[in-house]
Amino acid sequence: MARVVLISTYEMGRQPFGLASPAAWLRRDGAEVTCLDLSREPLRETVVRQADWIAIHVPMHTATRLAARLVPRLKRLNPRAKLCFYGLYAPVNEEYLRGLGADAVLGGEFENGLAALVGGARAGEPGGPVVSLARQKFVPPDREGLPALADYAKLRLPDGGRRVVGYTEASRGCKHVCRHCPIVPVYEGAFRVVQPEVALEDIRRQVARGAGHITFGDPDFFNGPTHAMRIVKALHREHPGVSYDVTIKVEHLLRHSDLLAALSETGCLFVTSAVESFDDHVLGLLDKGHTRDDALRVVELFRQLGLTLAPTFVPFTPWTTLEGYQEFLWLLVESGLVEHVAPIQLAIRLLIPPGSRLLELPEVRDLVAEFDPQGLCYPWRHEDARVEQLCEKVRQVVHAGERRQATRGEIFAQVWNVAYGKPLTPRVMPSRTTIPYLEEPWYC
């Protein structure tokens, strides 16, 4: 019987689907599986020493950097174990990860490949497929051995209440090819669904373990709107008291606006949407598929429907100007979005990872430095030193505010003061209205 240790380093305060799903496949095949979520528990050295395979989930940039730091310790504890990296950031960083000692690298639909590896096949090894987009017949995730749902980030409600949050995925990949998106180099415009009965069984099991809210981690919940609505309608019928949140592109929110009322009726508390910028030039370079006016139309649409929009942004890019950043803050105030935006979103800096479609643009290739393997990105500096200084000051304000648990409005007011050189006046002070949000903010 193969002994497998699945490791997660960081998944934004969520109980990791990326461990629970492959654990189910491996246990079904007879493997002895231990799941370790190092964001919530220490590394258990005994199980690492006994492992035949150690597989680390790398779904995002931060998780990959943390995983890289972990490898020397794993190698010291068990030099004979085979090491695999799997997830979205694995294939685009294949060369770097193999340099760290990876025996296998898997991306895309990784469960079948991981099961095959443990079973003795060559998937993801040198000479085997690294990225698979094969349609899989999923099995319900097995969350046995993971920290309790109550140990993860909770949902904060406007009335001060809190709910335990579960996490699942109804689809992966994306139909769209935004230039800055890390999904694109792996899925190249494709998306794959998790069968509805599997997603619903996963939700059912998490509700039984105390979840009162479900986060759907799909990159875009409306890549397959019929599939998505089938799942949330069934969720609401079976668990009418359970709420949920989803992520949907601005473009899809407008195209499928007729479905938004149904989201609200079935318990959707908020929709995360990657607005990224209010600058049409930047949106065009990112190939986002929407304009500033489109984003503002969505804001108004949500206000009319009584739905909460949680926009995300990349405010610092090579094309950001001081005036543009000031206008960004002004529009958040004018649109009543200050409380809707996690403070970290005011400080996000454009990341250019390997494989990014941004590198197709000559102006981007001209401005980036050599690839930084430690940072797992192509570094860049703004040609205007004042923008670089503003970015650093905003980052410091946001992190200091989060450490002292300041409110979103308080942190925003400090960022405004940094950007404008003067405080917010009473006429433009942000609303004190609170919205539902997850305690651990989105990050990359």
Side-chain angles (χ1 to χ4, degrees):
M1 178 190 296
R3 293 177 175 176
V4 183
V5 176
L6 301 178
I7 296 177
S8 170
T9 58
Y10 171 71
E11 302 207 20
M12 300 184 292
R14 305 158 170 171
Q15 192 187 65
F17 183 95
L19 299 194
S21 181
W25 290 64
L26 294 167
R27 287 169 179 157
R28 182 188 62 180
D29 291 349
E32 180 182 319
V33 180
T34 301
C35 294
L36 299 178
D37 183 353
L38 302 188
S39 74
R40 292 298 185 272
E41 60 181 323
L43 184 72
R44 284 179 256 158
E45 295 188 351
T46 300
V47 294
V48 171
R49 289 193 180 99
Q50 296 171 345
D52 301 305
W53 275 96
I54 300 171
I56 309 176
H57 188 219
V58 287
M60 61 195 74
H61 182 259
T62 300
T64 310
R65 295 187 67 185
L66 291 172
R69 296 175 199 167
L70 181 65
V71 170
R73 184 179 176 191
L74 297 175
K75 290 287 189 181
R76 286 195 302 271
L77 290 170
N78 188 344
R80 68 171 183 81
K82 292 276 193 177
L83 178 63
C84 174
F85 290 89
Y86 67 98
L88 191 65
Y89 267 75
V92 295
N93 291 293
E94 180 185 6
E95 182 179 354
Y96 174 69
L97 297 175
R98 290 201 188 277
L100 295 176
D103 297 286
V105 176
L106 296 171
E109 305 302 278
F110 53 74
E111 286 88 350
N112 191 53
L114 190 53
L117 273 176
V118 172
R122 289 178 58 81
E125 295 183 281
V130 172
V131 174
S132 172
L133 298 184
R135 289 176 170 82
Q136 299 184 141
K137 176 62 178 175
F138 284 84
V139 295
D142 186 344
R143 299 174 182 274
E144 191 64 36
L146 283 167
L149 289 177
D151 293 339
Y152 290 86
K154 294 180 176 60
L155 174 77
R156 289 287 184 99
L157 297 168
D159 63 5
R162 299 166 83 201
R163 290 183 188 171
V164 172
V165 177
Y167 174 87
T168 196
E169 296 176 5
S171 67
R172 289 182 181 146
C174 186
K175 288 180 176 179
H176 300 270
V177 289
C178 303
R179 282 198 178 95
H180 65 307
C181 179
I183 298 168
V184 176
V186 177
Y187 281 88
E188 298 181 331
F191 89 106
R192 297 289 180 260
V193 301
V194 177
Q195 290 75 30
E197 64 273 16
V198 173
L200 289 166
E201 178 60 22
D202 187 29
I203 292 168
R204 192 175 295 120
R205 293 178 183 181
Q206 292 182 81
V207 170
R209 294 186 177 201
H213 179 89
I214 299 293
T215 289
F216 285 94
D218 308 41
D220 192 309
F221 201 59
F222 277 179
N223 270 319
T226 301
H227 170 73
M229 295 309 299
R230 182 181 298 126
I231 290 173
V232 296
K233 287 178 179 178
L235 161 62
H236 188 62
R237 283 196 302 270
E238 189 170 344
H239 309 287
V242 173
S243 56
Y244 66 90
D245 69 270
V246 297
T247 298
I248 304 174
K249 278 175 65 72
V250 167
E251 181 180 351
H252 284 171
L253 292 171
L254 293 174
R255 182 180 304 163
H256 303 294
S257 59
D258 57 316
L259 299 178
L260 298 184
L263 287 180
S264 181
E265 291 163 2
T266 53
C268 182
L269 288 189
F270 61 91
V271 175
T272 300
S273 190
V275 174
E276 311 297 39
S277 177
F278 289 124
D279 184 322
D280 283 339
H281 177 62
V282 173
L283 290 170
L285 290 167
L286 299 182
D287 200 8
K288 279 300 298 176
H290 72 258
T291 65
R292 163 187 167 139
D293 287 347
D294 291 335
L296 295 176
R297 282 171 57 204
V298 166
V299 171
E300 182 57 31
L301 180 61
F302 270 60
R303 183 174 291 113
Q304 293 171 2
L305 291 170
L307 259 176
T308 295
L309 182 69
T312 61
F313 296 95
V314 183
F316 288 101
T317 73
W319 311 285
T320 300
T321 64
L322 294 178
E323 296 76 17
Y325 189 80
Q326 291 174 337
E327 184 180 21
F328 161 64
L329 298 180
W330 173 259
L331 279 168
L332 293 182
V333 172
E334 283 289 285
S335 304
L337 291 174
V338 169
E339 298 290 340
H340 295 236
V341 178
I344 191 64
Q345 296 299 319
L346 306 176
I348 295 290
R349 181 184 176 92
L350 181 66
L351 183 71
I352 306 179
S356 173
R357 282 194 62 225
L358 282 168
L359 295 169
E360 297 172 359
L361 300 176
E363 60 195 275
V364 172
R365 293 198 301 270
D366 289 342
L367 70 88
V368 297
E370 290 294 318
F371 180 70
D372 174 11
Q374 302 302 315
L376 299 179
C377 66
Y378 289 89
W380 60 270
R381 289 190 65 80
H382 201 287
E383 63 180 9
D384 186 342
R386 297 173 302 166
V387 175
E388 287 288 342
Q389 292 165 4
L390 175 62
C391 180
E392 179 58 23
K393 288 178 182 177
V394 170
R395 188 191 66 82
Q396 291 173 1
V397 165
V398 168
H399 287 306
E402 289 178 338
R403 281 196 298 272
R404 68 173 187 276
Q405 297 183 320
T407 67
R408 290 183 172 189
E410 289 167 346
I411 296 174
F412 181 89
Q414 290 180 315
V415 170
W416 177 286
N417 196 13
V418 166
Y420 277 91
K422 59 183 180 182
L424 273 167
T425 63
R427 184 175 64 85
V428 296
M429 279 295 287
S431 165
R432 302 296 296 180
T433 303
T434 56
I435 65 163
Y437 65 92
L438 299 177
E439 289 177 331
E440 187 159 337
W442 177 93
Y443 200 60
C444 64

